[in-house]
Amino acid sequence: MHASHILALDQGTTSSRAIVFDADGRVCGLGQQEIRQFYPHSGWVEHDPMEIWRSQLATARTALRNASLSAADIAAIGITNQRETTVLWERATGRPVSRAIVWQDRRAAAICERLRADGHETFLRQRTGLPLDAYFSGVKLAWMLENIPGARAAAERGELAFGTIDCWLTWQLTGGALHRTDPSNASRTMMFDLQTQDWSDELLACLDIPRSLLPEILPSSALAGQARAEHFGGAIPLGGIAGDQQAATFGQACLQPGMAKNTYGTGCFMLMNVGTAPRLSTQRLISTVGWTLADGRTSHMLEGSVFVAGAAVQWLRDGLGLFSQAGDIEALAASVADCGDTYLVPAFTGLGAPYWDPYARGTMVGLTRATTRAHIARAALEAIALQSADVFDAMHLDSGVALTELRVDGGAARNDLLMQMQANFLGIPVVRPRELESTALGAAALAALACGLWQDEQEVAARWHAEKCFEPRWSADQRLSKLQRWRQAIAISRQWQADAG
């Protein structure tokens, strides 16, 4: 086969990236561009959908150029994306009717409260596996239909299309020929029934959303449509789609029940494979689809979503000016032996799992005259690991499975100090792979399976290799004491915005 490479499009919260992988899963070329963040009101976060598309196309062309390859060398394209971010556009023109509402955005909290007051919370949870929260794209879409002038009328006339970012990119790549998503993204919308694996008319009625807005749901690994020749100098088949965290789980080869990974990016996302049937959480975690293969086999996950992780480091860099480069935080934090009993709760847009408090706000406690910027930097790193420890404990209670290791990826996984903190706070080994591009690799793997470049999942597992293992150094008592102190800080941050009126 002449076309022996895969192009992975990795559209994230802070940047668009593209990576070319060869048939052995090695990186051959990369392109990346940051995208702008818009914060028009407290708790609101927006992106420009056209900027997302232009930047993603530009990075894909850059990755091909850096790999010295052309469209003829690419067997398929895999897409992975920031999830829950919601786009609404005109079918006739492909023009967005507004900025995209980003997954971090909390403006739909009032709609969630209304649904809760109307008694829909249990129904929604049982059907979707999701807590009733502004995080999910269905309530963001409901907000758009209620608040964008003319949107509801246009939607009811069939003139508008809804999609998460994977769907938006697919539409643009195919020139509007394909309005498609996959189960991993659909399961994050609050409009998808976990049991039937399809859109639910009852859920749509609950949210008051016209079905005509929705894309077709196809397997995560399946050939469907082509990127138009004008984009890359030749048509390329589209072969794989998965939300970024599910793609990372696939790329980390967490293919068997009981295996788990944590991604350290803008937020933190821990996913555990629970097998071929959904498992509803009793600990306020998310039950979600991991991926569906071309033969219909579906893997389900439990997930805990932490809204702010790397974004806290960005805030210390850009908002407070504590250092000039994000990578500088490790040395600064390591310059002190501990956090000096200072705790930072980075609830800038509320708290995710297992608290689901849209009204929590960022809090720093324990400050004294002895507190330095190094203590604050260390407290920020600890906050990332402590939030993940909360999710880990909830996951253990939910699954009844004692995890024996946690696989890690994402940009902050390069930080040895943070990874050692994580091992200490969890009490199990934390394993970092050689290839930290797990998200893009997962999308590439799904595309490689779809086009026949790879034959089965065992080829994914065979390409995973550990680079470093961080063994826990703390006693159980040390861990418990730290978590108890952390949860005191969490309690202070809760409901802050609601209490302010």
Side-chain angles (χ1 to χ4, degrees), residues 37-42 44-46 99 104 314 349:
Q37 314 292 309
F38 299 93
Y39 306 100
H41 302 287
S42 176
W44 290 29
V45 189
E46 297 176 348
R99 287 178 184 157
Q104 300 160 311
Q314 291 175 322
T349 55

Side-chain angles (χ1 to χ4, degrees), residues 81 150 185 233 247 288 342 350 375 377 451 476 481:
N81 56 286
N185 281 291
T288 191
T342 298
H375 292 107
C451 70
S481 176

Side-chain angles (χ1 to χ4, degrees), residues 15 25 41 59 76 84 106 149 181 185 204 219 258 273 320 337 363 371 383 402 406-407 426 431 450 466 488 501:
S15 70
H41 302 287
T59 60
E84 297 92 22
R106 311 307 292 167
T181 191
N185 281 291
L204 291 171
N273 190 324
L320 299 188
T363 306
T371 304
L406 180 69
R407 296 183 175 186
L426 299 184
V431 184
Q488 285 181 266

Side-chain angles (χ1 to χ4, degrees), residues 228-303:
R228 295 175 63 170
E230 66 194 63
H231 298 315
F232 303 113
I236 304 175
L238 302 183
I241 288 179
D244 52 9
Q245 303 312 319
Q246 290 97 325
T249 309
F250 198 73
Q252 283 270 39
C254 294
L255 305 174
Q256 302 300 320
M259 299 181 74
K261 71 89 200 175
N262 198 26
T263 295
Y264 300 80
T266 302
C268 261
F269 303 89
M270 190 180 297
L271 276 76
M272 177 182 177
N273 190 324
V274 296
T276 58
R279 179 177 297 180
L280 293 182
S281 173
T282 62
Q283 301 297 317
R284 309 197 77 197
L285 299 179
I286 295 167
S287 183
T288 191
V289 173
W291 51 80
T292 299
L293 300 181
D295 61 8
R297 285 182 296 135
T298 298
S299 293
H300 289 265
M301 308 282 142
L302 283 174
E303 175 178 339

Side-chain angles (χ1 to χ4, degrees), residues 324-403:
S324 58
Q325 302 292 330
D328 296 342
I329 191 172
E330 183 172 5
L332 180 60
S335 69
V336 290
D338 55 48
C339 67
D341 201 35
T342 298
Y343 289 82
L344 169 63
V345 181
F348 304 140
T349 55
L351 287 170
Y355 302 102
W356 298 109
D357 183 352
Y359 302 109
R361 286 297 178 266
T363 306
M364 198 180 302
V365 297
L367 298 175
T368 70
R369 284 293 299 272
T371 304
T372 67
R373 66 190 187 102
H375 292 107
I376 294 172
R378 193 175 184 102
L381 290 184
E382 288 195 351
I384 296 171
L386 286 164
Q387 288 178 103
S388 294
D390 283 340
V391 171
F392 177 86
D393 287 349
M395 198 165 281
H396 173 66
L397 290 171
D398 250 342
S399 66
V401 174
L403 293 174

